[in-house]
Amino acid sequence: MSKSKKKKASKKVKKGKIRRQRASKVVPFADKDFLSLKEFTREDLETLFKTAEKMKKFPESFLTKLKGRSAALLFQKPSMRTRVSFQVGMSELGGSCVYMDPQEMPLGERESIKDIARVLSRYCDAIVARTYHHSDVEELSHYASVPVINGLSDWFHPCQTLADLFTVREKFHAIEGMNIGYIGDGNNVLNSLLFGVAKLGGNLSIATPRGYEPSEEILKSIKLLSKDSGSKITLSNNPFTAIKNAHVIYTDVWVSMGQEKQRDQRLRDFQPFQINMAVLSKAPKDSVVMHCLPAHRGEEITDEVIESPRSAIFDQAENRLHTQKALLFHLLTRKRKK
Ligand code: CP
Ligand code: NVA
């Protein structure tokens, strides 16, 4: 063999070796489901954001990617954004959705969750579920042979986090090192945001009223993730501490779906945590405001803030569509071990 041929052959071997090493290390989108955001690695999230970016820029290039595929939307609570963005998103990829509301398909009443999971898996390629108890989404995932996507449970709202962090990336060209000030309830939206930020090396400064902090269990897992990513997570009971140095100021409703009986107490407890122009004026001038919506104008956020040029809220809502299209695409087209 000539010297140059030998060199080429050895290069090929080396390349092959490197590829094999990489492949054995990380299997992209290895988990069947998307229940809490814990399932995705940092690499998965970065890949997903790149796909969402392409889908947003060139939607016409993806029109048939999920042709003939279908998703069941199994919703126990009301929804506008999640429902519409999944339905439109799936149809923009060439697939379709079947929507089932709580009257039609009350989980565990007309039939058991395990039977629903098994039967829907015979008809559909994915199940998007919105439930009260997070354990219901977990049970669906256990019995379904197709991917189960959490479209919001009492514990997590991971699809929301995909859009949130994609919006941060779009506005500031990075997630790592960005400061998010979250003011409000330690709820499902915050739990998922915590996982996303901690995986991607962002910083989250949280201000809740006393007694409304995220659970110890969540904070324990986040501590471990943050160690790896360098993410800084801090807790306080002072909204002005949370907005100090913030690139993003984030809030959500004070009364989540299912908590209606606590409404009066919550409105009293959360009063000092409203995002209004006075709060905004104390935050860095180039910071933006985010809210997952639906907003209760005049409670957690004022009209003036939502309508202000600092609001990124409707871009954030739009990004539900692009990120969920990317999510469906990756979960439904990846190669999985048998
Ligand atoms: N943000 C969000 O999930 O909105 P919906 O409840 O309208 O789906
Ligand atoms: N925390 C809110 C989010 C709504 C999208 C709720 O669970 O109602």
Side-chain angles (χ1 to χ4, degrees):
M1 202 188 275
S2 74
K3 254 190 178 176
S4 73
K5 272 188 181 170
K6 264 188 192 167
K7 223 176 172 181
K8 270 185 193 167
S10 110
K11 260 190 185 170
K12 269 186 191 166
V13 170
K14 273 185 197 158
K15 267 190 187 168
K17 214 176 185 181
I18 290 167
R19 260 190 222 125
R20 266 198 305 282
Q21 277 172 355
R22 276 196 195 133
S24 65
K25 248 195 199 163
V26 192
V27 178
F29 300 97
D31 212 292
K32 175 174 81 70
D33 305 300
F34 184 60
L35 305 188
S36 68
L37 220 134
K38 288 183 214 167
E39 299 81 9
F40 284 3
T41 61
R42 183 180 184 132
E43 290 72 25
D44 291 337
L45 289 168
E46 281 164 358
T47 304
L48 192 146
F49 290 149
K50 280 186 193 146
T51 308
E53 195 173 34
K54 283 188 208 146
M55 287 178 163
K56 187 169 182 175
K57 256 193 191 155
F58 309 108
E60 65 287 353
S61 310
F62 296 89
L63 291 175
T64 56
K65 293 288 179 197
L66 296 183
K67 193 169 173 221
R69 315 292 292 278
S70 61
L73 305 186
L74 189 57
F75 279 34
Q76 303 294 295
K77 292 175 177 171
S79 167
M80 195 260 271
R81 279 145 290 272
T82 309
R83 176 182 176 177
V84 177
S85 52
F86 268 111
Q87 285 187 323
V88 171
M90 194 59 166
S91 79
E92 285 184 3
L93 294 168
S96 60
C97 283
V98 183
Y99 176 75
M100 280 158 292
D101 67 25
Q103 277 75 42
E104 246 173 312
M105 190 67 81
L107 281 185
E109 280 182 36
R110 185 165 181 258
E111 55 191 316
S112 67
I113 293 180
K114 54 182 159 191
D115 290 353
I116 296 173
R118 286 169 177 145
V119 173
L120 288 178
S121 299
R122 301 288 178 110
Y123 300 141
C124 299
D125 299 285
I127 300 171
V128 182
R130 171 167 285 202
T131 65
Y132 286 92
H133 310 295
H134 186 67
S135 56
D136 288 351
V137 195
E138 288 178 331
E139 195 176 343
L140 279 167
S141 117
H142 183 78
Y143 290 100
S145 56
V146 298
V148 173
I149 296 172
N150 180 0
L152 182 147
S153 66
D154 282 354
W155 269 88
F156 294 110
H157 197 2
C159 295
Q160 183 64 51
T161 303
L162 293 180
D164 298 344
L165 294 181
F166 183 73
T167 309
V168 173
R169 182 183 180 271
E170 214 170 45
K171 302 278 172 205
F172 298 97
H173 310 289
I175 295 168
E176 188 163 354
M178 303 314 298
N179 302 327
I180 303 179
Y182 180 96
I183 301 178
D185 191 16
N187 63 14
N188 47 5
V189 167
L190 178 60
N191 286 345
S192 289
L193 192 62
L194 271 163
F195 276 102
V197 166
K199 286 206 171 197
L200 294 171
N203 305 317
L204 193 48
S205 180
I206 301 164
T208 67
R210 276 179 218 289
Y212 294 95
E213 295 86 359
S215 77
E216 282 302 321
E217 192 190 330
I218 297 276
L219 292 173
K220 222 166 125 190
S221 328
I222 294 305
K223 221 176 182 177
L224 291 176
L225 284 175
S226 310
K227 257 193 191 164
D228 279 353
S229 69
S231 162
K232 288 191 205 80
I233 311 286
T234 54
L235 289 179
S236 81
N237 305 113
N238 183 347
F240 292 98
T241 307
I243 59 170
K244 202 173 164 219
N245 303 323
H247 298 98
V248 174
I249 301 161
Y250 197 123
T251 192
D252 181 19
V253 290
W254 293 339
V255 185
S256 284
M257 292 178 276
Q259 297 174 332
E260 291 76 11
K261 282 191 183 138
Q262 303 167 27
R263 184 172 167 77
D264 293 346
Q265 181 66 49
R266 282 177 167 265
L267 290 194
R268 278 196 296 277
D269 294 343
F270 280 92
Q271 219 54 60
F273 291 79
Q274 183 186 66
I275 298 189
N276 49 39
M277 290 314 269
V279 171
L280 212 55
S281 71
K282 295 272 188 291
K285 295 272 167 293
D286 52 356
S287 56
V288 301
V289 177
M290 291 177 53
H291 190 307
C292 59
L293 299 177
H296 290 171
R297 289 168 180 250
E299 291 182 15
E300 75 280 0
I301 192 165
T302 59
D303 269 329
E304 229 180 334
V305 172
I306 297 185
E307 303 301 334
S308 84
R310 303 266 291 274
S311 161
I313 293 171
F314 298 102
D315 292 333
Q316 182 189 358
E318 177 188 332
N319 286 333
R320 293 292 303 275
L321 173 70
H322 309 299
T323 48
Q324 284 161 201
K325 280 173 72 176
L327 174 68
L328 287 165
F329 172 76
H330 284 294
L331 290 185
L332 270 55
T333 59
R334 70 203 155 159
K335 288 187 179 68
R336 287 179 50 77
K337 279 185 195 159
K338 293 245 160 145

